[in-house]
Amino acid sequence: MRQLIDLPTPSSDKARTDKAPAHDSAKGHVSGTARYTDDVYRHAAMLHLAVGVSTKAHAQITKIDLDAVRSAPGVIDVFTSQDIPGHNEVGAVFPGDPLLVEGRVSYAGQPIFAVVADTLRHARQATSLAQIEYKSESPLLDPAVAIEENSVVLPKHVQRREAGQNIIDEAHREAPLPALESAQHRVSGRLDVGGQEHFYLEGQIAIAEPWEDDGLRVVTSTQHPSEVQKLVAEVIGIPLHRIVAEVRRMGGGFGGKESQAAPVGVLAALACWRTGRSVKFRMPREIDMRVTGKRHPFRSSYDVGFNDEGVIEAAKIELIGNCGYSPDLSEGVVDRAMFHADNAYYIGDALVIGHRAKTNTVSHTAFRGFGGPQGMLPIETVMDDIARTLGLDPLDVRKRNLYRTGKDETHYGQKVEQHLIGPMMETLEERSEYRSRRQKIAEFNKQSPIIKRGLALTPVQFGISFTATHLNQAGAIVRVYTDGSVLANHGGTEMGQGLHTKVCQVVARELGLSLENVRISATRTDKVPNTSPTAASSGADLNAMAARKAALEIKQRLFQFAQDEYALEPASMHLEENAFHATTLTGDAFTLSWPELVQQAYLHRIPLFSEGFYATPKIGYDKKTARGRPFYYYAYGAAVTEVEIDTLTGENRVRRVDILHDVGESLNPAIDRGQVEGGYIQGLGWLTTEELVWNDDGQLMTAGPSTYKIPAYSDAPIDFRVNLLEGHPNSEATIYHSKAVGEPPFMLAISAWAALRDAISSLSDYALNPVLNTPATPERILFACNKIRERQEDKVSA
Ligand code: MTE
Ligand code: HPA
Ligand code: MOS
């Protein structure tokens, strides 16, 4: 029996804007009045910082002469690692990241010294006058070679399930899987997956200014103000309470400002500390791209056994994350790749191995999906390869392998509880007319020798929670002023994703207010302390819940006051449309406007501010046994993409995309739709056009938009149909049963890559499996086409 899901009928504009108010900065964004860090201060007395970076990828510094830098026009201060008062370490989780190089250079672009000058131009010009001599060694750049040579930033992790049981015996964990050896059919292969530059519109930036009591205030574009505060304190050697880190908004973060905004803030802070003056640090785009980490490139291999129906019985998947020179966030990134090596499928007996290669590139970091996208690609390759091996439609193979009752435990022991993905795929299949289009495309390809079309429907099952369990906590404060206006703050940061809007909506809803009565101001570490980064898509899940608790506390106090003061029926009290309503004990209707209620409460000395705290329940993962429940729940999505390629040039475009995405009970459908569309396009860029190239010397050759191609307006799908799943609230008790939306849609773009492979394989009448590493640039598509044509000819002549 087919299980279909009702899609929404379009609602009126009015109903839509009530439920889906615009981003609180939407007008500011489009009119240019929303202020970013660079706009905060522009006074003449402010100093500017620039860094001198390594020109070698792997070397020992033999001589540094900065005299010419010091005497350059406008230069006020120059410092190196020798001048750091506290410790020279800005590693996010593990040590290994010096703020400034100490003798050894680990990648081309690593900061060696800082210059502070009266103008930005003077600071940047002075950096070029440094005399630095190196004793160069050959850089290690290939992650597979790194693993062979045991060059790792952290030890490997292994997950194993055999005969349905997780194997915790260390010695046996990596032994061959018997079920793989005995399977009827097998596919195996290797896949190289490229990294990705964040290309936030606003680059990394921070301003530090002297603050009272020998303290510092750092205005910074960061997803993690508490980390900036902590590292500034450690590098300078003063307690955290003397530093405040502040961020009003970022012009995009995408994970690139989770850990790697901190050194930028710390350098500005150190310069401010030394000079006693305000200092701004902002890099030119090219330097930003050389200095800061990117999405981890991965080298993966897979060996999968399956039966005649295309159902997987055993899978060995080995993932090598190229971490660059230091650990940064790579423990979590490779773990998440491993957690998502199954995507939405029950993979039978499983052996998943995750390696963390240490190479001489910049330290790779968080990027939307946090290893999940890289982890999912091998199993999606396998689905298509199984289909072509058995002559089945890839969609049928995918559907047969989905998690379902009885086959609902992941290879790391978490039970999949909300079985939405099957019905979602069925619905999308029908709505997108998958079957008839598949047939039409096959016919088109038969009569079109050069231009070929491809189609693919792929699922996403993305785990929500930080995989580092302790990060799943948040705090908020809500204050009601005597005029009834409300100011809220929480630990989350705004990077364009609409978090502040969602939190305002939640506070307004709890207090029965219209949205304009509630405001959120800059995130600051002296408002809410010890915050987690805004990441793992959990910003709203965590912070909106904390803010709701704070609002409920205030509501509780107001109700208690009103009940006593006006002799009211407790059950009758409620807040609605900016007013308080109740029935008196004598049965009369009672109403006060919200400002009146607040004013009365104030006069009766009722506290009108409160804090809230939230920690995600149920979660935990034991690295020793490689088993547990790392995620509170999963978010789902499915996409069908149709592409067209020119098999003589490799040029390609996306003709049509249909998406059905699960956000539970949406907090804001307009914002969520924006996240789905933006996520898909960003994923499409990662998989098709955005290519990072390092040359043999370890120099990044694609350090600017002329050589690094992000999706442009004209790359958007010609026909783009996005629907949010409705009527399926989160089965867990998240904020109003919504689901996180920030990262999951990114992986919907895997359907585009699978469709490209489908189009290429049409050259062999769908019999051969193309090798298509990512990004699938026109060159790679062309080479894959040529390869399939050659193999096809070999087959015919044999
Ligand atoms: N959307 C915009 N516009 N800008 C961003 O920088 N970052 C993404 C996603 N969507 C991002 C974005 C990433 S990597 C994450 S983890 C989430 O937003 C973070 O915000 P949330 O947890 O509030 O969803
Ligand atoms: N996702 C994103 N960022 C993170 C995570 C995660 O799971 N863990 C630590 N930082
Ligand atoms: Mo997002 S990669 O978790 O900042």
Side-chain angles (χ1 to χ4, degrees):
M1 238 317 266
R2 283 208 154 171
Q3 265 182 291
L4 295 186
I5 286 171
D6 283 340
L7 289 183
T9 43
S11 40
S12 72
D13 279 352
K14 166 85 178 92
R16 249 202 311 265
T17 47
D18 281 357
K19 213 186 149 213
H23 192 289
D24 62 299
S25 297
K27 285 198 179 117
H29 290 156
V30 296
S31 64
T33 55
R35 280 152 55 99
Y36 293 83
T37 300
D38 199 32
D39 306 316
V40 176
Y41 302 104
R42 290 182 168 276
H43 56 78
M46 170 146 8
L47 303 178
H48 296 267
L49 188 145
V51 282
V53 304
S54 163
T55 54
K56 305 285 181 221
H58 189 196
Q60 187 71 35
I61 295 184
T62 53
K63 188 182 150 207
I64 301 188
D65 179 352
L66 299 177
D67 288 349
V69 181
R70 285 201 175 85
S71 54
V75 169
I76 285 164
D77 190 22
V78 177
F79 56 92
T80 68
S81 59
Q82 303 300 308
D83 305 306
I84 289 173
H87 59 129
N88 181 24
E89 172 60 59
V90 289
V93 187
F94 302 91
D97 294 84
L99 180 67
L100 294 168
V101 162
E102 256 177 65
R104 262 200 105 60
V105 165
S106 307
Y107 73 95
Q110 191 167 18
I112 299 174
F113 66 94
V115 183
V116 187
D118 58 348
T119 66
L120 182 59
R121 176 183 289 241
H122 280 149
R124 288 183 183 171
Q125 278 174 343
T127 60
S128 65
L129 302 173
Q131 305 272 334
I132 298 178
E133 287 169 17
Y134 304 86
K135 185 169 174 290
S136 252
E137 294 165 40
S138 67
L140 177 50
L141 298 169
D142 185 316
V145 173
I147 294 307
E148 272 166 33
E149 296 180 359
N150 202 25
S151 168
V152 296
V153 295
L154 291 166
K156 72 179 163 195
H157 183 49
V158 181
Q159 298 163 329
R160 185 188 181 95
R161 171 174 58 200
E162 193 179 323
Q165 297 292 313
N166 280 83
I167 301 298
I168 57 175
D169 161 20
E170 200 73 52
H172 181 64
R173 251 197 223 167
E174 285 183 64
L177 289 170
L180 183 57
E181 305 300 326
S182 63
Q184 283 166 291
H185 307 276
R186 245 159 119 163
V187 292
S188 62
R190 204 183 84 184
L191 185 66
D192 277 314
V193 174
Q196 188 176 24
E197 158 64 30
H198 301 84
F199 229 105
Y200 20 60
L201 287 182
E202 175 208 40
Q204 303 275 3
I205 180 169
I207 297 170
E209 61 164 5
W211 200 39
E212 58 190 44
D213 298 334
D214 285 336
L216 281 168
R217 172 174 177 243
V218 187
V219 180
T220 145
S221 183
T222 180
Q223 293 172 238
H224 199 351
S226 286
E227 178 95 339
V228 174
Q229 179 198 25
K230 173 172 164 282
L231 290 172
V232 168
E234 288 175 3
V235 169
I236 295 180
I238 56 175
L240 273 84
H241 69 193
R242 272 162 63 187
I243 296 154
V244 57
E246 168 175 333
V247 51
R248 171 58 187 89
R249 60 169 64 78
M250 281 162 273
F254 305 114
K257 295 171 180 171
E258 178 172 341
S259 63
Q260 302 212 1
V264 178
V266 173
L267 281 168
L270 193 52
C272 170
W273 182 257
R274 288 169 60 85
T275 60
R277 299 185 44 191
S278 303
V279 177
K280 181 187 283 189
F281 180 26
R282 161 164 74 79
M283 290 170 277
R285 178 67 64 168
E286 188 207 327
I287 298 292
D288 190 313
M289 286 180 76
R290 291 188 193 284
V291 169
T292 64
K294 322 200 173 302
R295 178 185 296 284
H296 292 58
F298 267 66
R299 156 77 55 89
S300 311
S301 53
Y302 52 88
D303 189 352
V304 175
F306 53 97
N307 66 17
D308 286 333
E309 271 72 58
V311 174
I312 294 181
E313 288 170 341
K316 178 182 176 190
I317 297 171
E318 196 154 1
L319 304 164
I320 302 175
N322 181 349
C323 304
Y325 84 98
S326 78
D328 184 75
L329 300 170
S330 298
E331 157 148 272
V333 168
V334 175
D335 281 355
R336 192 178 272 278
M338 296 173 71
F339 289 131
H340 292 313
D342 57 345
N343 191 5
Y345 312 110
Y346 183 83
I347 55 174
D349 282 10
L351 175 55
V352 178
I353 307 173
H355 300 277
R356 296 168 176 87
K358 179 176 181 169
T359 57
N360 291 114
T361 63
V362 64
S363 193
H364 294 307
T365 194
F367 196 140
R368 207 172 196 169
F370 205 74
Q374 296 97 313
M376 286 177 191
L377 274 178
I379 200 69
E380 289 303 336
T381 312
V382 165
M383 291 296 149
D384 289 316
D385 291 1
I386 292 175
R388 285 187 280 262
T389 305
L390 297 177
L392 296 169
D393 188 305
L395 179 56
D396 293 320
V397 175
R398 287 189 164 89
K399 291 202 293 194
R400 286 174 198 179
N401 282 289
L402 292 174
Y403 282 111
R404 64 194 72 218
T405 313
K407 276 187 163 186
D408 52 8
E409 202 177 281
T410 62
H411 56 288
Y412 48 90
Q414 173 156 356
K415 215 169 145 76
V416 175
E417 287 167 341
Q418 223 181 353
H419 292 290
L420 286 176
I421 191 62
M424 284 174 72
M425 286 171 76
E426 299 271 4
T427 306
L428 196 60
E429 174 184 342
E430 188 151 300
R431 292 292 166 126
S432 70
E433 300 173 287
Y434 176 90
R435 300 285 168 180
S436 59
R437 282 165 68 204
R438 160 78 57 211
Q439 210 163 7
K440 271 197 211 128
I441 287 170
E443 283 157 20
F444 173 89
N445 286 343
K446 272 210 180 78
Q447 53 77 37
S448 171
I450 310 290
I451 305 294
K452 300 286 182 186
R453 290 182 182 163
L455 187 72
L457 192 164
T458 60
V460 172
Q461 171 178 301
F462 191 78
I464 302 298
S465 290
F466 285 95
T467 57
T469 305
H470 76 276
L471 292 176
N472 296 285
Q473 57 171 307
I477 40 176
V478 173
R479 316 151 194 89
V480 179
Y481 292 99
T482 50
D483 64 351
S485 66
V486 178
L487 183 65
N489 284 106
H490 55 86
T493 58
E494 177 63 47
M495 59 192 101
Q497 86 279 37
L499 174 60
H500 286 351
T501 310
K502 286 182 172 177
V503 175
C504 279
Q505 283 180 264
V506 167
V507 172
R509 175 164 156 179
E510 292 304 332
L511 299 179
L513 299 173
S514 49
L515 199 54
E516 66 275 8
N517 292 298
V518 184
R519 222 189 118 226
I520 289 180
S521 58
T523 309
R524 278 174 62 141
T525 53
D526 59 349
K527 293 174 183 167
V528 179
N530 313 327
T531 53
S532 295
T534 307
S537 304
S538 59
D541 280 19
L542 298 173
N543 294 287
M545 206 60 142
R548 176 170 184 264
K549 287 194 179 181
L552 282 176
E553 172 78 35
I554 292 171
K555 181 167 153 177
Q556 178 65 30
R557 288 184 206 147
L558 287 171
F559 279 18
Q560 190 62 56
F561 155 73
Q563 184 190 327
D564 298 346
E565 182 67 18
Y566 306 111
L568 303 174
E569 194 61 63
S572 70
M573 298 185 291
H574 59 282
L575 290 164
E576 204 181 304
E577 295 190 9
N578 305 318
F580 171 78
H581 307 274
T583 314
T584 63
L585 292 177
T586 53
D588 298 325
F590 180 92
T591 298
L592 277 181
S593 75
W594 168 255
E596 275 176 286
L597 174 68
V598 167
Q599 186 58 229
Q600 286 307 317
Y602 168 72
L603 292 174
H604 287 81
R605 300 187 291 179
I606 305 297
L608 291 170
F609 57 96
S610 184
E611 64 197 22
F613 179 81
Y614 176 75
T616 313
K618 295 188 180 178
I619 49 175
Y621 177 72
D622 181 355
K623 231 157 166 188
K624 279 213 179 67
T625 57
R627 207 182 145 76
R629 177 178 183 161
F631 306 119
Y632 190 27
Y633 63 90
Y634 295 99
Y636 293 98
V640 189
T641 299
E642 180 179 332
V643 299
E644 185 168 82
I645 63 172
D646 179 332
T647 58
L648 294 183
T649 64
E651 284 168 288
N652 58 86
R653 60 177 181 167
V654 175
R655 286 169 49 82
R656 174 172 163 185
V657 178
D658 296 66
I659 289 172
L660 183 56
H661 196 82
D662 159 38
V663 292
E665 192 65 52
S666 175
L667 288 175
N668 184 322
I671 285 175
D672 287 353
R673 168 183 292 266
Q675 286 293 302
V676 174
E677 292 173 352
Y680 179 94
I681 298 286
Q682 196 170 39
L684 186 66
W686 169 55
L687 288 168
T688 60
T689 65
E690 298 182 40
E691 185 168 31
L692 291 165
V693 179
W694 283 270
N695 72 8
D696 292 344
D697 296 330
Q699 306 286 343
L700 180 64
M701 304 304 284
T702 50
S706 57
T707 45
Y708 185 81
K709 261 187 61 60
I710 59 170
Y713 171 71
S714 54
D715 295 313
I718 297 159
D719 185 352
F720 199 13
R721 308 182 191 194
V722 175
N723 277 292
L724 302 178
L725 178 66
E726 287 197 6
H728 292 268
N730 194 336
S731 58
E732 294 296 342
T734 50
I735 182 79
Y736 308 145
H737 294 275
S738 63
K739 282 192 181 181
V741 67
E743 295 165 289
F746 183 92
M747 285 145 277
L748 295 171
I750 293 173
S751 58
W753 177 76
L756 288 168
R757 289 186 79 220
D758 183 60
I760 299 166
S761 85
S762 75
L763 289 169
S764 65
D765 202 17
Y766 304 100
L768 297 176
N769 290 316
V771 174
L772 188 63
N773 292 328
T774 78
T777 54
E779 293 93 313
R780 288 214 177 87
I781 291 171
L782 176 62
F783 295 154
C785 287
N786 290 347
K787 194 94 203 153
I788 291 289
R789 284 195 169 112
E790 273 169 34
R791 283 165 65 191
Q792 188 66 5
E793 277 163 24
D794 289 352
K795 238 173 60 179
V796 174
S797 61

